[in-house]
Amino acid sequence: MTTADTVRRPGRGRRLPFSGWHLLLAPLSMGFALPLLWLLASSFMTNAEINRFPPALFPHGIHLDGYLYVLRNALFPRWFANTAIVAIVAVLANLVFGSLAGYAFARIRFLGSRVLLAVMLATMVIPFQITMIPTFLLMSRLRLTDTLGALIVPSLVTPFAVFLLRQFFLRLPPELEEAARIDGCSRLRTLVSVILPLARPALATVAALTFLTTWNDLTWPLIAITSDHQYTLQLGLATFQGQHRTEWPAVMAGNVITILPVLVAFLLAQRTFVQSLTSTAVKG
Amino acid sequence: MAKTFAVGYRARETATVRRTRRDRSRVGGTPTAWLFVAPAVVIILGLSIGPMIWSLLLSFQSADLVTPARWLGWHNYEVLATDPTFRRAVEHTLLYTALFVPLSIVGGLGLALALNRRIRLIGLYRTLIFVPFVVSAASQGVLFSFVFDAQFGIANSLLARIGLPTQGFFADPNEALPLLVAIGLWSGVGFCVIILLAALQDIPPELREAAIVDGAGRGAVLRHVVLPTLRPVLVFLVVWQTIQALQVFDLVYVTTKGGPLGSTVVIVYFVWDQAFQLFQAGYGAAAAYLLAAVLLAASLLLRLYQRIRKA
């Protein structure tokens, strides 16, 4: 679970000598973890402990007041559900639309494919700041602003998903699907029953990265959503903090709940995650 | 952020396009293929090229998102050139970038060199240093506004405990921006570490060994073997981190909202404020276009560099 390395691991069982580097690396890495550990600690404090001056460093016992406060707050569970809906729909849509387009670009010869592909590639450098105002105007014409639809539509499929899957499909030997094609399978059938089962690593990468981006996004929800019952967690957290200044343990508990899903997703898919990140930058 | 991971795929493009031609002997797939790509094409192009042009038109108009727009020509851009608020936003953004980019890369390189060894617990160390990267800007903002709260924050209470003067932090116009850089580094350095670590592991050990056999010390190996090999990755990181830093917004929104006294208003904050708070969409679009021009130039330079290196 804790191997962020792409290095071959040393043979199991072989004991490694103690290295002086631990003296540097242990405090350094603890320094990075400290703010998150303290976040966790403060979420278990009582209001009295946290609002005292100077504030307590550690909670005296585990108090669930903060967690109960956010969970009983009618809006917080709703924000969690909103965020989960947006993220899950975005992940599924990216997998479906990304696979379809990626497969067509990788395997089917069709009119205009090269131009289309080049244009889609080029859109990756367009910064969000110049598209956000018209995207908002477009969403309001479609009467989607202030609904989850406004959050879902722009994240249905990214060029990244299309290209990552296309690159993966290109590396699969064509013979694999030729048998299926000769047996009379349609393109769609071939894609679903032959190609996709082989593409699990690429699909996992797309899923992990889409989940992370949609779950963590703040700018677009801030623009597209106005009613508090339509907030995502990120947006809710930012305003919750302002409205509940004296309820710090609750704010911190809300923050823990917000971070937890991405943290778990990251730790589960760490290898996939780190490899996809590095292969692009280093081998590019 | 998904864009983060897409940069390098472009470079491999030409080779793969050539390879697929072989497989394209079967014509007649056109209707199926169009059906397959249609959703992606409509959504991706419809929400990028379309808005990009729309935004350009907006930047030449007086548009408040409600009443019909009026054509102004270059007026918005002329006003921007003399707008003191925009000027300060540019200065703050440049200061943030000038601090964030070198510190994240030098820090990332140092950490990557330290982490590039096979010892016990190394996986744990790497994970801990990288984990802040997946924490959202909103979560970071909420956490650190509390840690650095001038009155109730734990940072001041620790300072007081060891006998140092307490600080204003986010309430002090001189400290707010550097503090934002520090938080940006906490979460952003992990990205540089992961990229550089992978690049370091790609250096063939023979290369180092040869240098050591030739009598090179640690410093010489670093300077003459490691750094030159890392150059393409370092160039990528400089451009990448610059693009990220110039677009900083979420963290500012959650922590300072541009304050205190406008000391942390950055370009994207200015754009957001103009377009969605003051309803000056045309003016905001013009400011966004100026920023986008710089970002696009940076991306193109990177691509050019990668092409030249390949050739």
Side-chain angles (χ1 to χ4, degrees), chain A residues 52 60-61 140 148 159-160 196 204 206 216 226 260 263:
Chain A
R52 185 178 93 198
H60 299 284
S140 59
L148 295 186
F160 164 76
L196 290 185
V206 169
N216 280 354
T226 45
L260 219 51
L263 207 62

Side-chain angles (χ1 to χ4, degrees), chain B residues 275-295:
Chain B
F276 298 107
Q277 298 299 104
L278 307 170
F279 303 108
Q280 304 278 341
Y283 194 53
Y289 247 90
L290 288 181
L291 172 65
V294 176
L295 299 175

Side-chain angles (χ1 to χ4, degrees), chain B residues 202-257:
Chain B
D202 268 6
I203 299 177
E206 301 83 49
L207 219 59
R208 274 177 216 248
E209 282 153 20
I212 292 165
V213 168
D214 289 347
R218 269 193 183 188
V221 171
L222 181 66
R223 255 185 58 204
H224 301 294
V225 179
V226 175
L227 288 182
T229 329
L230 290 183
R231 188 181 297 146
V233 177
L234 288 170
V235 171
F236 163 80
L237 280 177
V238 168
V239 175
W240 187 255
Q241 295 294 84
T242 303
I243 291 175
Q244 295 301 307
L246 291 174
Q247 292 179 290
V248 63
F249 171 76
D250 288 5
L251 189 61
V252 175
Y253 176 80
V254 181
T255 51
T256 63
K257 296 217 161 51

Side-chain angles (χ1 to χ4, degrees), chain B residues 46-123:
Chain B
L47 291 173
S48 60
I49 309 275
M52 191 173 95
I53 297 165
W54 192 346
S55 195
L56 185 65
L57 294 176
L58 274 177
S59 77
F60 292 110
Q61 295 171 349
S62 150
D64 59 4
L65 307 180
V66 185
T67 53
R70 243 174 349 106
W71 190 262
L72 295 175
W74 291 98
H75 181 75
N76 283 332
Y77 290 95
E78 284 160 14
V79 176
L80 268 179
T82 55
D83 183 339
T85 316
F86 182 64
R87 199 199 155 83
R88 292 191 67 200
V90 171
E91 286 169 3
H92 297 150
T93 311
L94 291 179
L95 180 61
Y96 180 90
T97 308
L99 290 170
F100 177 78
V101 175
L103 289 175
S104 68
I105 294 172
V106 172
L109 184 61
L111 285 168
L113 288 169
L115 288 168
N116 186 30
R117 57 200 71 250
R118 284 198 255 160
I119 55 177
R120 282 161 160 259
L121 297 176
I122 195 73

